[in-house]
Amino acid sequence: MVLFPILDVAPKDGFIEYKELEAWNMQQAIDRLHYRTRRELEFRDNNGDGAISFSEYLPHFTNQDIEKNETSHGEAGWWMEQFRNADVDRNGTLNLYEFRDFLHPEDSRNENIQKWLLREKIRQMDVNRDHKLNRLEFSNGAYNIYKTYLEYESRGANIPTPLEAFAKLDVDGDKFLREEELKPILHYLCPGELSYAKVYTTYLIREADDNQDGKLTLDEILNHESIFYSTIYDNGRNEDLSHDEL
C-alpha cells in the first residue's frame, strides 16, 4: 500500500503500467550502482582526493607490468585499456561517474567501453580468431544468448532464426559481424543492472497481473504482496544483490 501511490504517477489513474514499474526498478538499479561505486571509491581512495588512480585500484601491478602492456584477460594491459576508456577527461584518475563506468561497464553509455565489451564478447565466441563473427560463430554463441532474452520478453512469439537475426545485424552485408554491428543487441549480450531491472519488471507484471490486462491494480499487488515486499525490502536495504538473486 506504500508502494502503489509511489508507482502510480504517469498517469495517476489507479493502475500501475509497465512503464511506471520499469521507471521505479530502473531508478533502484541506478541508486544501487551509485551506492556501490561510492562505497568502493571511499575504500580505495588512499589519498582522499575523491578520485581513483590505476595504482589505487590495482596496487599489485608494478610499473614493469604496466610497461609490458600484456593484454590477456586480467593482465595489467587489459585493465589499463578499460581504465583509459573510463577516463573520459584524460586526467589519469577516475571521478565517481567514470569509476562507476569502470566498475560496471555493462551499464555504461561510454561508447569506448561499449566497444571494449563487445570486443571481449567477440573474443569469447571467435573460434577462428579473426576478430569478427561469421554466421556459424554467431549461431553457436551470440544468437543463443539473444534468443533466450527474446523468448522471455515475447513469450516465444516472433523469434527470428539465426540467419534472419544475422542478416538484420549485418548492415554492410559482408557476411561478418563486428563490434559496431553487434551494438543493437549489446544489452542482451552484456546485461547489467539496468537490463536486469527491465527483465525484473516483466517478471513482476506477469506474476501479479491476474486478469492479464497488462497493468496492475492495488488488489493485484496485495494478492501477490510477497514479491513486491521483497522488491521494497531488497532495494531499500540490500545493496549487494547479485543478478541471480534479482
Side-chain angles (χ1 to χ4, degrees):
M1 295 184 71
V2 171
L3 181 61
F4 195 91
I6 295 174
L7 297 179
D8 182 24
V9 293
K12 194 172 186 65
D13 58 358
F15 296 98
I16 294 174
E17 298 181 19
Y18 178 92
K19 63 181 180 179
E20 293 171 314
L21 187 54
E22 181 187 50
W24 163 267
N25 282 324
M26 293 285 280
Q27 187 59 54
Q28 301 312 301
I30 291 171
D31 290 347
R32 283 196 300 273
L33 290 172
H34 191 79
Y35 172 84
R36 292 171 182 169
T37 303
R38 181 173 292 280
R39 187 175 63 178
E40 187 72 5
L41 187 147
E42 291 172 352
F43 177 73
R44 302 281 186 178
D45 183 17
N46 297 326
N47 61 7
D49 65 351
I52 295 294
S53 66
F54 187 83
S55 61
E56 282 177 322
Y57 187 71
L58 297 162
H60 60 284
F61 287 126
T62 66
N63 289 333
Q64 289 180 328
D65 293 329
I66 296 173
E67 289 173 3
K68 287 180 182 178
N69 197 33
E70 174 58 55
T71 57
S72 299
H73 183 88
E75 296 294 336
W78 185 86
W79 281 108
M80 182 57 77
E81 181 182 4
Q82 176 62 339
F83 190 92
R84 288 170 178 157
N85 287 336
D87 185 16
V88 176
D89 59 13
R90 297 293 185 263
N91 68 350
T93 61
L94 304 182
N95 61 34
L96 178 66
Y97 300 101
E98 292 170 334
F99 193 41
R100 187 176 70 183
D101 282 351
F102 177 77
L103 292 178
H104 309 283
E106 296 86 359
D107 292 300
S108 174
R109 294 183 179 179
N110 181 319
E111 288 191 6
N112 289 329
I113 289 178
Q114 291 178 349
K115 290 179 181 178
W116 179 83
L117 280 173
L118 288 170
R119 282 198 300 273
E120 285 295 300
K121 186 59 67 173
I122 288 175
R123 182 183 60 80
Q124 296 168 18
M125 299 179 287
D126 180 20
V127 178
N128 62 8
R129 297 293 184 263
D130 63 353
H131 309 295
K132 53 192 176 184
L133 299 182
N134 57 37
R135 287 175 178 173
L136 182 60
E137 291 167 335
F138 173 78
S139 298
N140 291 338
Y143 176 76
N144 291 328
I145 302 171
Y146 176 51
K147 179 184 176 185
T148 298
Y149 278 95
L150 285 186
E151 286 176 337
Y152 183 76
E153 291 177 352
S154 64
R155 298 192 177 187
N158 301 317
I159 303 298
T161 66
L163 289 180
E164 290 170 341
F166 187 95
K168 185 175 181 179
L169 293 169
D170 184 21
V171 177
D172 61 11
D174 69 348
K175 312 302 181 186
F176 295 101
L177 298 180
R178 297 172 178 80
E179 301 127 44
E180 285 296 326
E181 292 173 312
L182 288 172
K183 282 184 69 174
I185 61 172
L186 170 64
H187 60 293
Y188 295 119
L189 299 180
C190 307
E193 289 287 343
L194 300 180
S195 295
Y196 281 103
K198 292 183 178 183
V199 172
Y200 194 51
T201 299
T202 300
Y203 164 76
L204 290 172
I205 292 285
R206 289 182 183 177
E207 289 296 307
D209 185 17
D210 293 328
N211 64 3
Q212 302 296 304
D213 65 350
K215 50 191 176 182
L216 304 179
T217 63
L218 177 57
D219 285 340
E220 286 174 324
I221 288 184
L222 291 174
N223 289 339
H224 302 274
E225 64 178 275
S226 61
I227 61 174
F228 286 93
Y229 176 76
S230 297
T231 300
I232 298 174
Y233 181 84
D234 291 340
N235 285 335
R237 302 187 186 184
N238 187 355
E239 294 86 356
D240 292 320
L241 281 174
S242 70
H243 294 159
D244 291 339
E245 287 172 315
L246 282 176

